[in-house]
Amino acid sequence: MDISIALGGGGSRGYAHIGVLRRLESAGFKIRAVSGASAGGIVAVAYAAGYTPDEMEATFAHLDQSKLFARSPNEGPGILGLSKAARLFEDLFGNKTFSDLRIPCAVVAVDLKAGREIVLSQGRVVDAILATIAVPGVFPPKQYGETQLVDGAVLDPVPVSVARSLAPALPVVAVVLDIMTEATSGFISLPLPVQVHPLLAERLTRTRVAKAFNIFLQSVDVSSRNMAELRLRVDNPEVVIRPDVDGIGLLDNVDIHQIIQKGEEATMVALPELQQAVAWPNRLRRYWSRQV
């Protein structure tokens, strides 16, 4: 039962992808190609590099999420930084390139100057990851040759067409994490670049800047959700899996194990549809549609 899969963006919600992959494997599906945007790009590359869902869960569960995005003095424009995240990716992938991965993989980014989507499927995977997760205004853009790249979810939150191009004969499973959430009265917890007393940190995060940043992140969520729905209508994946990650913000500190479980639960619900997508009548239909 061969499939390809497109992993959507979603910040802290992205851990749900690990649960989706685990449940697909246990149900007997073989993922032959994977694409990703933003957080989905991290999981896509990790899976293509040979990390199992169990290994990914163990790795991410030991991270201090509150310190992962602290800024370094030499980083480019952005409220938060990616230097510590970059070190994590270097530890995980070293100098691996896309040609070193065990299955076809690509992640998406956006060229700020040209205003267009860029599919990254060559070169160092660490560079590609830092580009696809660079949420504009939040994280520094990634300099990539002559271009500045930002989060691929800006234009393609769930890169279905990319997954289809990697394995044209296979059904595409799209994992969508962009859920419209109600505004909350709480505040996000900003990862601060310096160590401060917890009471002072709490006071600092309740400033107008923090409130404005919270509104900005909510706006990014709204935009990403609507773009995702538009692209899903156009790209028409064979199966859509929607983990119940409602209420989880882009940069929330979360219980990783609980988020992974949500991915597994959503995949279980989608299993009948998945079985139908790989059945021989649908395989035959896809074959003839490619001949036209």
Side-chain angles (χ1 to χ4, degrees):
M1 296 188 292
D2 294 346
I3 59 173
S4 63
I5 189 166
L7 305 180
S12 297
R13 303 187 288 264
Y15 298 114
H17 291 312
I18 299 172
V20 173
L21 295 172
R22 177 184 289 152
R23 186 55 61 184
L24 287 173
E25 286 188 343
S26 66
F29 291 92
K30 304 294 184 183
I31 300 169
R32 301 301 188 186
V34 58
S35 67
S38 198
I42 301 173
V43 178
V45 170
Y47 188 75
Y51 286 99
T52 67
D54 288 349
E55 289 171 336
M56 284 188 264
E57 180 172 15
T59 297
F60 294 126
H62 287 90
L63 294 178
D64 186 340
Q65 299 172 63
S66 67
K67 297 178 182 177
L68 191 58
F69 302 123
R71 276 189 57 83
S72 295
N74 59 344
E75 292 196 73
I79 296 174
L80 304 177
L82 287 174
S83 59
K84 289 189 176 181
R87 287 197 289 273
L88 167 66
F89 301 142
E90 293 283 356
D91 290 340
L92 289 174
F93 307 114
N95 284 317
K96 276 189 171 66
T97 67
F98 281 92
S99 62
D100 297 321
L101 303 180
R102 64 181 182 91
I103 60 174
C105 175
V107 303
V108 294
V110 172
D111 182 341
L112 276 179
K113 184 177 293 186
R116 63 187 179 93
E117 180 181 349
I118 301 292
V119 178
L120 302 173
S121 59
Q122 299 179 10
R124 293 178 75 242
V125 297
V126 171
D127 294 331
I129 291 173
L130 292 174
T132 196
I133 66 173
V135 179
V138 179
F139 299 122
K142 174 63 178 174
Q143 193 69 35
Y144 207 90
E146 298 298 319
T147 62
Q148 277 195 326
L149 301 182
V150 295
D151 188 353
V154 170
L155 291 179
D156 199 354
V158 190
V160 171
S161 62
V162 177
R164 186 168 285 134
S165 70
L166 294 173
L170 300 182
V172 178
V173 177
V175 186
V176 183
L177 304 179
D178 292 294
I179 307 298
M180 187 75 77
T181 60
E182 296 181 0
T184 63
S185 59
F187 297 89
I188 62 167
S189 179
L190 291 177
L192 299 173
V194 294
Q195 296 294 317
V196 296
H197 191 278
L199 292 178
L200 179 57
E202 181 180 0
R203 182 67 60 85
L204 287 172
T205 59
R206 293 178 180 274
T207 63
R208 291 182 180 179
V209 173
K211 294 179 182 179
F213 188 48
N214 193 47
I215 292 171
F216 172 71
L217 289 180
Q218 290 177 13
S219 300
V220 170
D221 263 344
V222 171
S223 176
S224 183
R225 177 189 182 278
N226 283 281
M227 180 61 74
E229 295 304 320
L230 176 61
R231 291 299 299 255
L232 288 173
R233 291 181 188 177
V234 172
D235 296 329
N236 194 27
E238 280 71 17
V239 178
V240 177
I241 298 176
R242 295 179 183 269
D244 181 12
V245 289
D246 189 19
I248 300 171
L250 283 173
L251 299 179
D252 285 355
N253 287 335
V254 296
D255 184 323
I256 289 173
H257 307 293
Q258 288 185 359
I259 304 302
I260 290 173
Q261 180 64 32
K262 290 179 180 294
E264 294 198 51
E265 293 168 355
T267 307
M268 287 294 294
V269 172
L271 281 180
E273 189 178 359
L274 284 160
Q275 296 285 357
Q276 185 177 2
V278 298
W280 72 264
N282 285 318
R283 295 204 307 267
L284 188 61
R285 177 182 55 79
R286 284 191 297 274
Y287 172 80
W288 285 113
S289 68
R290 296 198 310 275
Q291 308 307 309
V292 176

